[in-house]
Amino acid sequence: MSKRSSVASSSANGAMGKTSSSNDQPGFCGVMSTFSSLRYCLGDPNSLGHVWLALAFLPFGLFFDFLDGRVARWRNKSSLMGQELDSLADLISFGVAPAMVAFTIGFRSTLDTVGLAFFVLCGLTRLARFNVTVSVLPKDATGKSKFFEGTPIPTSLFLDGLMAYWVYCGHVLENVPFGAWSQDSALEFHPAVLLFMLHGCLMTSKTIRIPKP
């Protein structure tokens, strides 16, 4: 989830962004998850070790993202670089990396990739919208926004958990849950991709408001 705000609004509201050096770990987890997905695609499809590794990096990305925010507030420091890096790291760790895992386990048709691209772009839109509206959202006494508009992008960890369950059950590649429509044609599509597209719609919703903890 993005914590970007302008320097002026941070000072006025008491909300601290992240320092520029604090975002390395979440972004690192997302990049390493992506590389692990690629390694599986290049190796033995019956060896799922790299898939498990790709999935394991994602909750660590959330842990470090949460920790970075805590450290930044504790040090009472913020920077524009850190605020920008926060959004980019979130997009990689909770948007691109999960989409890569989905592609890895079997969502590989042309229409599948369009659906996954929609999911990633919704995450990008969600972060960009937060960045430009955070200064006008209602604040509590500490200067922190009272709610999220649309589901935060780290909620994609729900999809990661679901994919982990599929991998555990062996529902990968030809055994992807819910099967495929128009198999072996240009219109081949796995209905399970609709879960990613639905999540993308929830992230960009303007009517869903989730109170911040």
Side-chain angles (χ1 to χ4, degrees):
M1 67 197 75
S2 175
K3 303 177 183 65
R4 182 182 181 273
S5 60
S6 66
V7 173
S9 63
S10 293
S11 300
N13 297 322
M16 287 294 131
K18 295 181 180 180
T19 60
S20 61
S21 61
S22 68
N23 301 89
D24 295 341
Q25 297 94 339
F28 174 82
C29 290
V31 171
M32 291 304 296
S33 174
T34 300
F35 283 145
S36 295
S37 294
L38 293 173
R39 288 184 183 278
Y40 172 77
C41 292
L42 294 172
D44 180 4
N46 295 315
S47 179
L48 298 173
H50 287 301
V51 178
W52 284 115
L53 189 59
L55 288 165
F57 273 115
L58 301 178
F60 278 106
L62 179 63
F63 169 76
F64 286 121
D65 186 54
F66 175 80
L67 183 63
D68 288 344
R70 289 287 185 177
V71 171
R73 287 190 289 272
W74 174 65
R75 295 179 63 190
N76 201 34
K77 288 187 177 182
S78 65
S79 73
L80 288 176
M81 178 68 77
Q83 293 158 8
E84 295 296 338
L85 285 175
D86 183 35
S87 290
L88 293 173
D90 284 355
L91 180 63
I92 294 171
S93 297
F94 309 120
V96 176
M100 283 298 302
V101 175
F103 177 89
T104 296
I105 65 173
F107 301 108
R108 301 183 181 184
S109 74
T110 300
L111 291 182
D112 288 343
T113 56
V114 170
L116 294 175
F118 174 83
F119 162 74
V120 174
L121 293 177
C122 284
L124 176 62
T125 302
R126 162 72 174 87
L127 292 167
R129 187 182 67 192
F130 181 87
N131 289 346
V132 300
T133 62
V134 64
S135 61
V136 298
L137 290 175
K139 306 290 193 301
D140 60 19
T142 65
K144 186 169 66 173
S145 300
K146 291 183 177 180
F147 57 80
F148 295 109
E149 192 176 64
T151 55
I153 192 170
T155 56
S156 65
L157 286 177
F158 164 77
L159 295 172
D160 303 330
L162 184 60
M163 288 190 290
Y165 175 74
W166 290 344
V167 173
Y168 174 78
C169 294
H171 298 322
V172 298
L173 301 178
E174 292 83 6
N175 298 317
V176 168
F178 311 119
W181 294 346
S182 303
Q183 196 166 4
D184 299 325
S185 74
L187 299 178
E188 181 176 344
F189 178 75
H190 293 87
V193 171
L194 294 174
L195 294 173
F196 288 83
M197 299 179 71
L198 173 62
H199 188 77
C201 293
L202 293 176
M203 286 192 292
T204 55
S205 171
K206 291 186 177 182
T207 58
I208 295 177
R209 294 186 173 183
I210 301 177
K212 294 188 71 172

